[in-house]
Amino acid sequence: MEFLEGIKGRRSVRKFKDEQVGHDVLGRVVEAAACAPSWKNAQIARYIVIEDTALKNEIADNCVMDFAFNAATIKNAPALVIVTYVAGRSGFERDGSFSTSKEDRWEMFDAGIASQTFCLAAHNEGLGSVIMGIFDDEKVAAAAGVPEGQKVAALIPIGYPDESPQMPKRKTADELLSFK
């Protein structure tokens, strides 16, 4: 797939075929996502894949703050990827002080870059995905057994798409770009 074609062609997919995604395919996606840039090459993003239907349903029913649309999307997906990050590394100096006025917000910035890279790599493998942000961090972490020292950044339902969403209207470069 050509680079720009991949960027322009990736869509948020919320309907999936009833077909499992091979662990080898997910491994290739994570291998590509590992190339995402990060604060001082901290590489804090981690990926927990939930394939167990009961656990996916528990997260859908109890952890998405009663947002029914997200719950239905999670239940429909063959897998749910929980993107976590190792806390206390991005935006910090070795002595634990903050490197910039953005303080620990670099953690979410790095997790966001990694999540987008993950979704682009998934698209390249023929998978659909959607990045979700409406969830209770602590409930998701408890349900999924997120390791100590990591925090939940995003939920990404993933699978082979059963829909082909059209590109929503995009702003032009003239609307987004300014020069001084």
Side-chain angles (χ1 to χ4, degrees), residues 127-178:
L127 299 170
S129 61
V130 59
I131 300 172
M132 294 181 169
I134 300 175
F135 56 85
D136 183 305
D137 304 31
E138 292 178 8
K139 287 182 178 180
V140 171
V146 171
E148 188 175 330
Q150 293 181 30
K151 295 183 179 180
V152 178
L155 304 181
I156 304 178
I158 190 166
Y160 293 98
D162 199 23
E163 66 175 348
S164 298
Q166 296 300 307
M167 180 188 294
K169 187 177 186 308
R170 297 291 181 196
K171 295 182 186 312
T172 66
D174 289 339
E175 294 174 281
L176 301 171
L177 180 64
S178 63

Side-chain angles (χ1 to χ4, degrees), residues 12-39:
S12 292
V13 172
R14 295 174 177 87
K15 294 180 182 171
F16 306 94
K17 294 179 181 173
D18 186 19
E19 179 181 344
Q20 288 303 117
V21 179
H23 290 187
D24 58 326
V25 176
L26 290 169
R28 288 193 303 271
V29 170
V30 170
E31 187 175 344
C35 295
S38 61
W39 175 271

Side-chain angles (χ1 to χ4, degrees), residues 20-23 26-27 30 46-52 55-56 59 78-83 118 144 156 158:
Q20 288 303 117
V21 179
H23 290 187
L26 290 169
V30 170
R46 302 292 186 270
Y47 308 89
I48 300 170
V49 179
I50 308 296
E51 297 172 304
D52 180 76
L55 183 51
K56 278 193 311 152
I59 292 168
L80 173 65
V81 177
I82 300 173
V83 180
F118 178 94
I156 304 178
I158 190 166

Side-chain angles (χ1 to χ4, degrees), residues 36-105:
S38 61
W39 175 271
K40 295 184 179 182
N41 197 33
Q43 301 179 51
I44 62 169
R46 302 292 186 270
Y47 308 89
I48 300 170
V49 179
I50 308 296
E51 297 172 304
D52 180 76
T53 301
L55 183 51
K56 278 193 311 152
N57 289 343
E58 178 185 342
I59 292 168
D61 292 338
N62 301 315
C63 303
V64 296
M65 303 167 69
D66 296 322
F67 190 35
F69 194 64
N70 278 3
T73 302
I74 290 169
K75 288 180 178 184
N76 175 253
L80 173 65
V81 177
I82 300 173
V83 180
T84 69
Y85 61 89
V86 178
R89 291 197 189 159
S90 287
F92 294 87
E93 294 300 319
R94 290 189 190 277
D95 65 4
S97 64
F98 294 119
S99 299
T100 74
S101 61
K102 290 183 178 42
E103 299 178 341
D104 66 349
R105 293 187 301 273

